[in-house]
């Protein structure tokens, strides 16, 4: 516990390579955190919030509720008049998975409670009744076994979707993912393809404790042969799910536990997104902010304040964690000449560290200031809600970082 307090109090939000004053990064006060009302939010990706009072709710996620884009753009436009249908993010994942199972009989699902229970977050709800127990296979609590079984099934021509009930549990299958999933295509001399999708919830939730708040993208990014993507809206969740299933490569799809109830109107027509493209969330001129997953909404909340103070940030959801879309990122860097990376991943060896290195190697001549990276602190995620918030990047820190970066 002493280690946690020491790490939380340090406010180590900036990388050591820059000259900014990290002491100016003000964390939320204890008073402001304790005064939160207990509520349940259904957050729309167009920034509209449905709120219901609930005295039994753990606490409101106020950081996301006002996450809006100040500058008009397609991602923030009202969806009420658009054609299509509204879905929550977990429903969009399910719809994408169901469409692919209808299209291709080789697609199957396996994992703990994915069958008649419908998955821990209902992504596979009712699929067992529709496709049967062989295509939607409930497994024992043995991640190493059923992940290995999924890899073997992919070698024989199936397209398995393996669900980890929580991303932290997939550490038990790290050997299968690293030594088999990522390498078999190469070590077999191209005789085998491994078209497998490994997906599940992760990230810092609401008082889930350290073991259930893992961000494993930093663990998996170094494995050769694996692609990684992170969804952040119902639209890209469905499109990335379909693309991952159709890919001939093993793909890890990261879903954030706090985004499953995000609502958005998506097209009725079929669509598939690229696994290697970033999304321009908000065009701007003064600074490039690169982010992904839940931090997209913290950044957009900060963007509202920044615009009111005269700044024009460009926000990019990188989506593809491996490989990076250096074309989109590079064009933005050449325009703004300043880069801020905001991630929920851990500071040491995280996605932000790899992205910083890639930008410095490829676009150093276009930078007018060092790349700044805001990451979660290198401490186990505390259970206490106040401490939990202090370990993760908050919108106020993003505002301060941009102000210092643009000086």
């Amino acid at each position: 516990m002493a280690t946690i307090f020491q790490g939380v109090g340090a406010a180590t939000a900036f990388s050591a390579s820059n000259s900014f004053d990290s002491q100016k990064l003000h964390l939320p006060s204890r008073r402001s955190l304790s005064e939160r009302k207990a509520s349940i939010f259904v957050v729309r990706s167009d920034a509209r919030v449905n709120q219901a009072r609930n005295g039994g709710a753990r606490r409101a996620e106020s950081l996301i509720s006002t996450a809006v884009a100040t500058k008009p753009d397609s991602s923030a436009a009202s969806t009420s008049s658009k054609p299509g249908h509204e879905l929550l993010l977990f429903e969009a994942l399910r719809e994408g998975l169901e469409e692919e199972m209808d299209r291709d009989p080789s697609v199957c699902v396996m994992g703990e409670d994915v069958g008649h229970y419908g998955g821990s977050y209902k992504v596979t709800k009712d699929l067992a009744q529709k496709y049967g127990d062989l295509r939607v296979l409930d497994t024992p609590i043995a991640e190493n076994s059923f992940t290995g079984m999924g890899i073997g099934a992919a070698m024989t021509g199936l397209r398995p979707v393996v669900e980890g009930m929580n991303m932290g549990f997939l550490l038990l299958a790290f050997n299968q993912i690293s030594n088999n999933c990522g390498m078999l295509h190469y070590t077999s001399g191209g005789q085998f393809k491994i078209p497998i999708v490994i997906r599940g919830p992760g990230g810092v939730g609401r008082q889930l404790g350290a073991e259930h708040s893992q961000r494993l993208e930093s663990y998996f990014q170094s494995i050769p042969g694996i692609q990684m993507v992170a969804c952040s809206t119902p639209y890209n969740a469905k499109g990335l799910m379909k693309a991952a299933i159709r890919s001939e490569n093993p793909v890890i799809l990261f879903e954030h536990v706090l985004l499953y109830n995000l609502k958005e109107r998506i097209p009725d027509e079929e669509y598939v997104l690229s696994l290697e493209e970033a999304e321009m969330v908000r065009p701007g001129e003064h600074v490039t902010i690169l982010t992904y997953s839940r931090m997209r909404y913290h950044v957009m909340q900060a963007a509202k304040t920044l615009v009111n103070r005269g700044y024009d940030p460009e926000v990019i959801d990188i989506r593809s964690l491996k490989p990076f879309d250096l074309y989109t990122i590079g064009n933005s860097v050449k325009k703004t000449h300043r880069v801020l990376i905001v991630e929920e991943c851990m500071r040491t060896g995280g996605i932000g560290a790899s992205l910083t290195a890639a930008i410095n190697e490829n676009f150093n001549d276009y930078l007018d200031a060092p790349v700044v990276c805001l990451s979660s602190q290198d401490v186990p995620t505390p259970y206490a809600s106040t401490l939990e918030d202090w370990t993760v990047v908050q919108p106020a820190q993003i505002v301060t970082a941009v102000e210092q970066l643009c000086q």
Side-chain angles (χ1 to χ4, degrees), residues 6-7 19 61 83 104 116 128 159 208 243 246 255 279 283 297 303 319 339 347 356 367 370 378 395:
Q6 182 179 3
S19 59
E61 185 51 46
D104 185 349
H116 295 278
R159 292 183 176 272
L208 297 180
R246 296 186 188 189
E255 304 154 15
E279 176 188 351
Y297 298 95
R319 288 198 312 207
V339 179
R347 175 156 201 77
T356 299
L367 294 172
D378 285 334

Side-chain angles (χ1 to χ4, degrees), residues 226-228 275-277 318 320-326:
I226 284 181
Q227 287 187 269
M228 303 195 310
L275 294 174
E276 300 178 6
E277 288 185 4
I318 62 173
S320 176
L321 307 185
K322 183 182 178 182
F324 295 131
D325 179 5
L326 292 180

Side-chain angles (χ1 to χ4, degrees), residues 84 94 130 135 145 190 203 246 281 284 315 332 338 360 372 388:
R94 180 192 177 280
K130 181 176 182 179
R135 290 189 69 189
S145 298
R246 296 186 188 189
V281 181
V315 180
S332 181
R338 292 174 173 83
N360 284 329
V372 177
E388 181 182 69

Side-chain angles (χ1 to χ4, degrees), residues 336-401:
T336 66
H337 309 293
R338 292 174 173 83
V339 179
L340 172 64
I341 300 169
V342 181
E343 63 175 345
E344 194 178 82
C345 195
M346 309 309 295
R347 175 156 201 77
T348 301
I351 297 297
S354 298
L355 191 52
T356 299
I359 293 171
N360 284 329
E361 289 173 2
N362 292 278
F363 310 110
N364 185 64
D365 289 344
Y366 297 96
L367 294 172
D368 289 342
V371 177
V372 177
C373 183
L374 299 180
S375 311
S376 293
Q377 298 186 41
D378 285 334
V379 296
T381 304
Y383 176 78
S385 61
T386 304
L387 295 179
E388 181 182 69
D389 282 338
W390 280 29
T391 65
V392 178
V393 179
Q394 303 296 343
Q397 293 173 273
I398 300 169
V399 173
T400 302

Side-chain angles (χ1 to χ4, degrees), residues 31-322:
R31 180 182 178 187
S32 64
L33 291 168
S34 63
E35 289 177 349
R36 291 178 179 171
K37 305 280 186 184
S39 307
I40 294 177
F41 286 91
V42 175
V43 186
R44 299 174 183 268
S45 60
D46 60 0
R48 290 180 292 152
V49 184
N50 296 339
Q51 179 179 3
R53 294 292 177 192
N54 185 352
R58 286 180 176 173
R59 61 194 177 99
E61 185 51 46
S62 61
L63 298 176
I64 296 180
S65 63
T66 57
V68 298
T70 306
K71 190 170 185 176
D73 61 89
S74 58
S75 65
S78 174
T79 60
S80 58
S81 61
K82 292 182 179 180
H85 55 290
E86 280 194 338
L87 289 177
L88 300 175
L89 189 143
F90 79 89
E91 295 172 329
L93 288 167
R94 180 192 177 280
E95 186 172 274
L97 176 58
E98 184 176 17
E99 287 179 5
E100 291 305 297
M101 294 185 76
D102 283 339
R103 186 188 67 87
D104 185 349
S106 68
V107 178
C108 57
V109 181
M110 58 186 69
E112 299 155 356
D113 286 336
V114 298
H116 295 278
Y117 183 70
S120 56
Y121 290 91
K122 301 306 176 185
V123 174
T124 57
K125 182 181 179 181
D126 297 331
L127 295 185
Q129 288 84 342
K130 181 176 182 179
Y131 299 106
D133 293 340
L134 290 181
R135 290 189 69 189
V136 185
L137 181 63
D138 273 323
T139 66
I141 304 175
E143 283 76 12
N144 58 342
S145 298
F146 67 74
T147 303
M149 179 173 64
I151 295 169
M155 294 172 65
T156 67
L158 297 179
R159 292 183 176 272
V161 178
V162 174
E163 175 181 311
M165 183 179 287
N166 181 280
M167 275 295 186
F169 302 160
L170 290 178
L171 288 174
L172 297 168
F174 194 85
N175 176 61
Q176 284 73 22
I177 296 172
S178 60
N179 284 329
N180 302 143
C181 186
M183 299 185 185
L184 272 171
H185 179 65
Y186 176 81
T187 56
S188 68
Q191 296 181 73
F192 295 111
K193 295 179 180 178
I194 316 295
I196 187 174
V197 179
I198 299 174
R199 52 154 296 270
V204 178
R206 296 194 181 101
Q207 294 183 268
L208 297 180
E211 294 182 1
H212 289 70
S213 301
Q214 295 276 32
R215 288 131 287 176
L216 296 189
E217 52 266 40
S218 61
Y219 290 67
F220 293 129
Q221 67 173 327
S222 61
I223 301 174
I226 284 181
Q227 287 187 269
M228 303 195 310
V229 291
C231 60
S232 55
T233 69
Y235 177 81
N236 66 39
K238 178 181 176 180
L240 291 174
M241 170 70 88
K242 291 172 71 69
I245 292 174
R246 296 186 188 189
S247 175
E248 297 297 331
N249 299 313
V251 179
I252 301 179
L253 174 59
F254 292 93
E255 304 154 15
H256 199 289
V257 66
L258 290 184
L259 298 186
Y260 279 126
N261 284 335
L262 194 71
K263 181 175 285 189
E264 182 180 26
R265 186 175 295 275
I266 68 174
D268 291 328
E269 315 69 57
E270 182 182 35
Y271 65 93
V272 181
L273 298 180
S274 171
L275 294 174
E276 300 178 6
E277 288 185 4
E279 176 188 351
M280 179 65 68
V281 181
R282 183 191 188 280
E285 299 290 338
H286 293 162
V287 59
T288 298
I289 304 180
L290 305 174
T291 188
Y292 65 94
S293 191
R294 178 197 177 199
M295 286 295 111
R296 167 176 175 154
Y297 298 95
H298 283 211
V299 168
M300 294 309 292
Q301 182 175 345
K304 181 179 179 180
T305 301
L306 289 168
V307 170
N308 291 337
R309 297 184 183 182
Y311 297 98
D312 188 17
E314 180 155 290
V315 180
I316 296 176
D317 184 341
I318 62 173
R319 288 198 312 207
S320 176
L321 307 185
K322 183 182 178 182

